[in-house]
Amino acid sequence: MGSLETGLALKRDHNLQRSSSSRSSSSSNSIGFSGQRSRSRFARAVLFKKMDYLQLICSVAVFFFFVFFFHIFFLPGSVIEDGNNGRDLFGRNVGADSEGFSFLKGLDFGEDLNFEPLKIIEKFRKEGGVGNESGVVRFGYRKPRIALVLADLWVDQHQILMATVATALLEIGYEIEVFALENGPAHAIWRNISVTVSTADNNKKFAVDWLDYDAVLVNSINAAGFLSRLMQDPFKHVPVVWTIHEQTLADRLRQYVSSGQSELIDMWRKYFSRATVVVFPNYILPIVYSMCDPGNYFVISGSPEEAWRADTQRALIKENLPPNVEYEPDDFVVAVLGSQLSYRGLWLEHAFVLKALYTLYKDFGHSSARLKIIITTGDSTSNYSSILETIALKFGYSKDTVKHVAINQNIDTVINRADLVVYGSFLEEHSFPGVNDKVNGYLFPKDDMRALIRILLQVVSNGKLSVSARNVASTGKHTAKNLMVSESVDGYASLLENILTLPSEVALPLAVKSIPNKLKTEWRWSLFEAISDTHSPSKDGVESIDKIEKLFNHTNGENSVSLISPNETFLYSIWEEQKNMDIAYMRKNREDAELKDRTDQPRGKWDGIYRSVRRSDRTLHERDEGELERAGQPLCIYEPYFGAGTWPFLHRTSLYRGIGLSTRGRRPGADGVDGPSHLPLLNNAYYRDVLGEYGAFFAIAYRSDRIHKNAWIGFQSWRATTHMGSLSKTAEKSLLDAVEARKHGDTLYFWARLDKDPRNPLKQDFWSFCNAINAGNCQSVFLETLKQMYGIKHNLTSLPVMPSSDGTWSVMHSWALPTKSFLEFVMFSRIFVDALDAQFHEDHQKTGLCSLGILKDNHCYSRLLELLVNVWAYHSARRMVYTDPETGFMQEQHGLKSRRGQMWIKWFQFSTLKAMDEDLAEESDTDRSYRRRLWPSTGEIVWQGTYEKERSRKNREEKKRQQSEAKRDRRNRWGSRQKPIGKYVKPVAEATKPILL
């Protein structure tokens, strides 16, 4: 298992088995006690009078145990009533009755159980939580936000637990919002404690921007469906605390093992791996879920479940008696509880308790009441009942006195009926409810049977509980109903303190010790007392497990991309890189083919022409109709997105077009832009993260005529939609009308404003807000970037003025510009980002540390770049007009007249930027050994020399073409004359003179 905090990884041999039961309740009007800890330390023994919550102390003890170190124990002998001494089977002087244990020789107390401490909390402390920061400037503009995810709002033990924890978290400075799939009576409870509640029907999907929250608390198996959404980008790194109360999934996992359904086990392992921490309320559940443990299990002891179940089941006691247990009204019932783990020492522990109870059994021979002993352990399929019967007969009990009830049966009714509850496990427990000896219970040394017998004789008199026992039980009633509240509240608060890394604009919560004691003494029962409808539907998680299983079977692994485990990251990155290369190659070929189609081509054969026509027709129908509609519009608004988690926030009308920052998270069936195929830099995960949505600007601007053909261009962050800041239909029409009519000229229209940003509730000015979201270093970094950008050698002491007295500013990348102005803005941005990257890249890529963020920050540049368009627009003398996203009402901000004397026009004018751009292009194009710079990767490399090179290349090609044409013309005009292959030679003349003989 390997991850139980402050405790220990369980190592077991083949004799250690898991129990398949759920936790048992404690009984009303009953008494309980347990043996001592190892090495003769006092363990817990609790004695109570019958009462409604008596079973709590006993059953909570069962589940909130943990072994620190286990040595060999020596079984004590019985009390010798006749004064004779003897030796037990281990050779100790205990009395003449020790031969009663001789039949158990060969057994031990389970010393093969070994627990090793694994401190998971130390891992988070090393990585740095909110309580481990040093030298971090905080501005406290907002409180840390927690999303509490519940399956429903019915009144049950989980609502009580979470309401108690939430009340304490609110007290120390957290802000909480509840999400639930199903409404219920508890809705009013959360509203009364000033918590916002969002609900939805089961058939409706939540569209939640989880990045708005600093952590998500998912409660119970029933809410596991939310985890699938938190597995998708960009929500994968939001801290998630998943609390599991139920054992239902563990039982289902064992079924998967027996049926060989390994793929379902792997699927659930991914769910467990997604959680930052998986919290259990006791130390049994981590053991039964050990097959899914990725190393993030954590135990926060405490739950009102036992008290809640005791209340709800009192009326059903008679109807739910176990089949093998029969009671008479005058029977005195003793329930013996212990660990739910099965190990070899279990028989000896029960033998020890039965031997001590035998003295009480003999006293009942003189009473009219009968003694009944019920031992709860194991399951109904084991033969433990016959074993206990044999041990009882050996000790002298009558046949029907000692009974065994399996834990997987309804043992709550057994404990509710019990007069006396004995917690008899000898395993040392890591966590145990508070018991004050002789105040609300009794403690006895586990190796002293005489002490146990003395307690039994003290609390039972004449077949009934004694007066002193009833007084002890009465005192313990409040304790039993409110066990371990402090441990639970402090546990959740401390866990959040160690796992959260809060942005610099967030105020730190108060320390855990600041939680008032009044919030840690009892569960918040009072909040639920006014609700009459407390009969919640029985939900043990089976329905939710079935839904997730059906979804997995339906997709048949199609959603495996979104559930990739960390171990598969390397292999997937190789596949993704190859896929990106293939896509880029195919896109380039397609673009080249389109350009080629514009030139004159020979017609070829009819078959080829038919195929070409069919292919063109098919391509036309495959294209989105929105692409055709956009051709006639003056404006196209692009929505940058990363991952499937953002799809619900994207628009599908022709006015909008998505641009995916990663090929892996492309939205299917949409006419979007694949950013990485247009700008290869986005294939680099490092720059995709640090630039954020800014990478979409560079991708669109790079050879923009291939993507964007509209006179105006706009962008809208998907996060603006989540904050109700996206354009309504009315606002869209208003914006289009203004653009078409050129109402404001060269203007920056924006509709997400700084003074309404949730990160800025105090409505701070521009630079103060920029500092707040960038760890206090926005101004210093901006100043240094300008110096490097413009090559300033002397000290630059002032920043561009950004007054807020006459208007507000744009946030969340939601604005529109003329396309020509947009390209000018990108020219400025490329130079700025290049200078910014030169400052941070080396150290940030090595360590992950960035002065613009808290601790390790993957999105180092993105928050500063979010505000950069304002600086450029203001100081380049662009008009800035705010468009109300609901009504479409337009209002100019920072009028040009009010800017006179404040604008740095020379720094931002086009001629200056163009010259700087050409200088960078020349350096990059002519000197390949030039130092590493980001600038060449963010767009085209264009300077005067580029044009000259291109002109020279075209001239060479043109001259070559002309020469070829000239040769062809000469051949056509004069024809072609073949040169002779050889020369004719005249033969020598034959001699004519006669031959003389």
Side-chain angles (χ1 to χ4, degrees):
M1 184 174 62
S3 61
L4 295 183
E5 169 55 21
T6 66
L8 320 161
L10 176 63
K11 292 187 177 180
R12 325 176 318 164
D13 69 359
H14 62 280
N15 295 303
L16 179 61
Q17 302 173 354
R18 299 187 187 92
S19 168
S20 61
S21 73
S22 61
R23 164 177 7 177
S24 60
S25 300
S26 48
S27 168
S28 63
N29 299 327
S30 58
I31 303 173
F33 49 92
S34 82
Q36 186 197 24
R37 290 190 176 196
S38 60
R39 291 192 175 182
S40 299
R41 294 166 58 192
F42 273 84
R44 285 84 176 164
V46 186
L47 294 172
F48 286 123
K49 178 187 173 185
K50 276 190 177 181
M51 63 182 181
D52 293 343
Y53 305 102
L54 170 60
Q55 70 272 28
L56 279 173
I57 288 189
C58 302
S59 57
V60 170
V62 175
F63 291 93
F64 292 79
F65 84 96
F66 207 71
V67 176
F68 176 76
F69 195 84
F70 199 89
H71 287 278
I72 298 177
F73 295 102
F74 296 97
L75 182 66
S78 63
V79 175
I80 308 303
E81 296 182 353
D82 57 5
N84 296 326
N85 292 329
R87 292 184 178 274
D88 64 6
L89 69 164
F90 297 107
R92 298 181 65 187
N93 291 323
V94 293
D97 289 344
S98 62
E99 62 271 12
F101 291 102
S102 60
F103 64 96
L104 295 176
K105 284 184 177 180
L107 296 178
D108 57 40
F109 281 96
E111 64 273 12
D112 53 336
L113 282 173
N114 184 30
F115 292 84
E116 297 178 353
L118 290 175
K119 308 278 187 179
I120 188 176
I121 206 70
E122 292 181 358
K123 168 189 172 185
F124 298 112
R125 287 174 180 166
K126 289 179 181 178
E127 294 176 353
V130 297
N132 301 288
E133 300 171 357
S134 59
V136 175
V137 178
R138 289 199 172 273
F139 296 83
Y141 288 175
R142 70 168 178 87
K143 296 179 178 180
R145 295 194 187 105
I146 304 297
L148 177 56
V149 177
L150 306 171
D152 55 63
L153 294 176
W154 287 92
V155 179
D156 57 18
Q157 63 271 27
H158 305 323
Q159 296 282 336
I160 298 172
L161 170 63
M162 288 296 105
T164 304
V165 172
T167 304
L169 295 178
L170 291 170
E171 186 69 22
I172 59 175
Y174 286 91
E175 182 180 322
I176 298 176
E177 185 171 352
V178 169
F179 295 92
L181 285 174
E182 184 180 344
N183 209 342
H187 192 136
I189 301 299
W190 295 106
R191 187 173 60 248
N192 290 340
I193 60 175
S194 302
V195 171
T196 304
V197 179
S198 300
T199 61
D201 297 330
N202 288 327
N203 296 327
K204 181 180 177 181
K205 293 184 178 180
F206 268 117
V208 181
D209 179 7
W210 300 109
L211 296 180
D212 280 341
Y213 304 95
D214 301 298
V216 180
L217 271 60
V218 181
N219 191 56
S220 87
I221 292 292
N222 290 311
F226 281 90
L227 288 172
S228 60
R229 304 170 193 183
L230 290 161
M231 291 179 188
Q232 300 170 337
D233 285 321
F235 308 132
K236 281 186 173 181
H237 301 293
V238 177
V240 174
V241 177
W242 186 16
T243 302
I244 298 180
H245 310 272
E246 308 87 351
Q247 192 172 314
T248 312
L249 178 56
D251 299 335
R252 185 68 64 89
L253 290 171
R254 285 195 290 271
Q255 295 177 17
Y256 296 156
V257 172
S258 61
S259 59
Q261 295 175 289
S262 59
E263 68 282 356
L264 288 174
I265 298 176
D266 293 339
M267 183 265 295
W268 280 109
R269 283 175 179 164
K270 291 168 184 174
Y271 274 76
F272 280 81
S273 297
R274 172 56 189 96
T276 310
V277 180
V278 179
V279 174
F280 298 98
N282 58 66
Y283 288 95
I284 289 294
L285 288 176
I287 297 174
V288 299
Y289 282 102
S290 60
M291 72 174 67
C292 288
D293 181 11
N296 60 0
Y297 285 6
F298 190 81
V299 174
I300 298 180
S301 303
S303 172
E305 181 174 357
E306 306 301 338
W308 173 263
R309 289 171 57 184
D311 271 349
T312 57
Q313 293 187 5
R314 275 183 302 172
L316 305 175
I317 292 178
K318 294 183 179 180
E319 291 79 4
N320 290 276
L321 291 178
N324 59 339
V325 178
E326 296 180 358
Y327 301 108
E328 296 295 334
D330 295 333
D331 288 347
F332 189 91
V333 180
V334 178
V336 180
L337 305 179
S339 171
Q340 289 197 39
L341 295 174
S342 296
Y343 51 95
R344 290 180 293 183
L346 196 61
W347 293 0
L348 292 179
E349 292 174 358
H350 290 156
F352 175 85
V353 175
L354 287 176
K355 192 67 176 176
L357 287 172
Y358 185 72
T359 302
L360 191 64
Y361 171 73
K362 289 193 295 185
D363 284 351
F364 269 79
H366 306 288
S367 172
S368 59
R370 294 188 307 167
L371 179 66
K372 292 282 187 178
I373 301 174
I374 310 300
I375 297 179
T376 61
T377 189
D379 54 52
S380 56
T381 60
S382 66
N383 62 346
Y384 201 67
S385 296
S386 58
I387 295 173
L388 284 177
E389 185 178 350
T390 302
I391 294 175
L393 292 175
K394 287 285 187 178
F395 285 153
Y397 288 98
S398 61
K399 183 177 180 180
D400 296 328
T401 302
V402 180
K403 293 290 184 180
H404 170 247
V405 174
I407 296 182
N408 57 359
Q409 296 180 0
N410 188 2
I411 66 169
D412 296 329
T413 55
V414 174
I415 302 175
N416 273 300
R417 173 61 181 83
D419 299 277
L420 177 69
V421 178
V422 180
Y423 183 71
S425 173
F426 291 165
L427 296 180
E428 182 176 350
E429 296 155 9
H430 178 70
S431 180
F432 198 92
V435 178
N436 294 326
D437 191 28
K438 298 181 179 62
V439 177
N440 57 6
Y442 293 84
L443 302 175
F444 69 94
K446 72 181 180 61
D447 60 352
D448 191 347
M449 188 179 292
R450 293 180 177 86
L452 174 57
I453 294 176
R454 276 197 305 272
I455 293 174
L456 291 172
L457 296 178
Q458 180 180 353
V459 301
V460 181
S461 177
N462 297 324
K464 297 181 180 179
L465 291 176
S466 64
V467 175
S468 60
R470 293 178 182 274
N471 292 336
V472 168
S474 178
T475 303
K477 182 174 182 178
H478 178 78
T479 304
K481 187 176 181 179
N482 296 283
L483 289 174
M484 310 194 76
V485 180
S486 178
E487 289 82 351
S488 183
V489 170
D490 288 348
Y492 277 97
S494 177
L495 178 61
L496 290 175
E497 184 180 87
N498 282 281
I499 70 172
L500 295 188
T501 302
L502 299 175
S504 54
E505 74 270 16
V506 179
L508 286 180
L510 299 177
V512 176
K513 62 182 179 182
S514 302
I515 300 175
N517 289 329
K518 64 180 181 179
L519 299 180
K520 300 192 293 185
T521 55
E522 63 179 21
W523 304 109
R524 298 304 305 274
W525 305 104
S526 58
L527 295 175
F528 300 85
E529 291 174 352
I531 299 179
S532 57
D533 185 8
T534 59
H535 182 67
S536 61
S538 177
K539 293 186 177 180
D540 55 5
V542 173
E543 183 179 352
S544 299
I545 296 172
D546 290 340
K547 286 182 179 179
I548 295 174
E549 186 177 323
K550 288 178 181 177
L551 177 63
F552 178 80
N553 292 332
H554 176 70
T555 56
N556 195 23
E558 293 177 3
N559 60 341
S560 58
V561 173
S562 63
L563 299 177
I564 289 180
S565 64
N567 295 333
E568 299 167 339
T569 302
F570 177 71
L571 293 177
Y572 184 85
S573 64
I574 297 176
W575 171 85
E576 184 180 23
E577 182 179 356
Q578 181 62 41
K579 182 180 178 182
N580 291 334
M581 292 173 61
D582 294 342
I583 291 175
Y585 180 74
M586 292 171 61
R587 188 175 292 276
K588 183 177 182 301
N589 287 345
R590 188 178 68 181
E591 291 175 352
D592 292 342
E594 290 176 352
L595 292 175
K596 186 177 180 181
D597 288 341
R598 299 174 187 173
T599 63
D600 293 333
Q601 298 290 332
R603 293 183 178 179
K605 298 181 180 179
W606 282 110
D607 291 343
I609 294 175
Y610 283 137
R611 282 195 299 269
S612 222
V613 171
R614 287 196 298 269
R615 182 168 56 252
S616 300
D617 183 66
R618 184 168 57 252
T619 303
L620 180 63
H621 285 290
E622 286 177 353
R623 291 185 177 180
D624 196 323
E625 294 180 358
E627 182 178 357
L628 302 177
E629 294 178 10
R630 278 194 295 273
Q633 293 180 169
L635 170 67
C636 177
I637 299 176
Y638 294 90
E639 294 182 301
Y641 67 93
F642 175 66
T646 62
W647 294 349
F649 308 105
L650 304 180
H651 295 76
R652 288 187 175 270
T653 63
S654 61
L655 178 62
Y656 299 90
R657 193 177 187 189
I659 172 169
L661 301 179
S662 171
T663 302
R664 180 181 177 183
R666 286 288 304 277
R667 181 172 50 159
D671 179 36
V673 179
D674 182 23
S677 67
H678 289 276
L679 187 70
L681 178 67
L682 296 179
N683 287 315
N684 186 321
Y686 170 80
Y687 280 110
R688 186 172 60 232
D689 288 339
V690 297
L691 295 176
E693 296 181 354
Y694 224 79
F697 302 165
F698 296 149
I700 297 295
Y702 185 62
R703 298 180 181 177
S704 59
D705 55 337
R706 295 188 177 185
I707 304 173
H708 180 75
K709 299 182 171 100
N710 306 84
W712 283 69
I713 188 171
F715 290 88
Q716 179 170 274
S717 173
W718 63 270
R719 301 199 69 189
T721 305
T722 69
H723 293 281
M724 307 300 291
S726 61
L727 292 172
S728 65
K729 294 297 181 181
T730 303
E732 290 174 1
K733 186 177 184 305
S734 176
L735 180 60
L736 288 172
D737 291 343
V739 166
E740 288 181 330
R742 298 182 177 272
K743 184 176 181 180
H744 300 94
D746 190 355
T747 304
L748 173 73
Y749 292 98
F750 66 95
W751 48 92
R753 51 190 295 168
L754 175 62
D755 54 351
K756 292 187 177 181
D757 192 293
R759 297 168 294 178
N760 188 24
L762 301 181
K763 295 179 173 53
Q764 296 294 313
D765 63 79
F766 181 88
W767 289 117
S768 296
F769 175 75
C770 189
N771 277 332
I773 63 176
N774 288 285
N777 296 314
C778 170
Q779 289 176 279
S780 60
V781 170
F782 202 100
L783 193 64
E784 183 62 29
T785 303
L786 288 180
K787 290 174 61 178
Q788 292 193 26
M789 178 179 175
Y790 290 96
I792 299 175
K793 302 301 182 181
H794 62 275
N795 291 331
L796 183 64
T797 58
S798 63
L799 283 168
V801 179
M802 301 296 289
S804 297
S805 57
D806 56 346
T808 186
W809 305 100
S810 170
V811 291
M812 289 196 293
H813 300 302
S814 298
W815 45 260
L817 272 173
T819 300
K820 182 180 179 181
S821 297
F822 166 72
L823 295 176
E824 184 179 334
F825 167 60
V826 170
M827 182 187 297
F828 166 78
S829 299
R830 289 178 61 197
I831 305 173
F832 184 90
V833 171
D834 177 69
L836 181 66
D837 184 67
Q839 298 179 60
F840 294 104
H841 176 269
E842 185 175 353
D843 292 337
H844 183 226
Q845 195 167 37
K846 288 180 180 178
T847 65
L849 300 176
C850 168
S851 62
L852 293 173
I854 300 292
L855 301 176
K856 292 186 177 181
D857 184 5
N858 294 334
H859 305 281
C860 180
Y861 311 159
S862 61
R863 293 176 299 274
L864 180 112
L865 295 179
E866 178 185 349
L867 301 173
L868 188 60
V869 68
N870 297 283
V871 181
W872 170 83
Y874 184 90
H875 290 278
S876 63
R878 260 74 180 185
R879 299 182 72 177
M880 306 179 71
V881 176
Y882 169 70
T883 303
D884 188 283
E886 287 295 323
T887 65
F889 175 74
M890 294 184 175
Q891 182 179 15
E892 185 171 358
Q893 311 289 310
H894 313 287
L896 292 175
K897 292 183 179 180
S898 67
R899 299 191 216 172
R900 291 178 180 176
Q902 301 189 73
M903 293 184 292
W904 293 20
I905 295 180
K906 292 183 179 180
W907 294 57
F908 292 86
Q909 64 186 3
F910 176 75
S911 58
T912 302
L913 298 176
K914 181 61 177 176
M916 296 168 62
D917 184 79
E918 289 182 349
D919 290 343
L920 289 173
E922 182 177 4
E923 291 173 348
S924 177
D925 197 28
T926 59
D927 186 3
R928 297 297 180 184
S929 62
Y930 192 65
R931 66 179 178 85
R932 190 208 71 79
R933 302 200 71 158
L934 178 61
W935 185 88
S937 301
T938 56
E940 294 182 89
I941 301 175
V942 180
W943 62 293
Q944 187 61 34
T946 303
Y947 296 129
E948 293 175 358
K949 286 182 179 180
E950 183 67 17
R951 187 182 301 111
S952 177
R953 182 184 64 81
K954 288 183 178 180
N955 289 338
R956 288 194 303 269
E957 292 178 352
E958 180 65 20
K959 184 176 181 180
K960 186 176 180 180
R961 185 184 64 82
Q962 290 176 356
Q963 290 175 351
S964 298
E965 289 181 353
K967 289 181 180 180
R968 187 170 61 251
D969 290 342
R970 285 196 299 270
R971 285 196 301 267
N972 294 336
R973 181 179 302 176
W974 301 103
S976 58
R977 296 183 179 182
Q978 183 176 0
K979 292 182 179 180
I981 298 176
K983 185 176 181 182
Y984 172 76
V985 180
K986 183 178 180 181
V988 181
E990 297 181 356
T992 59
K993 294 182 178 180
I995 299 174
L996 298 178
L997 297 175

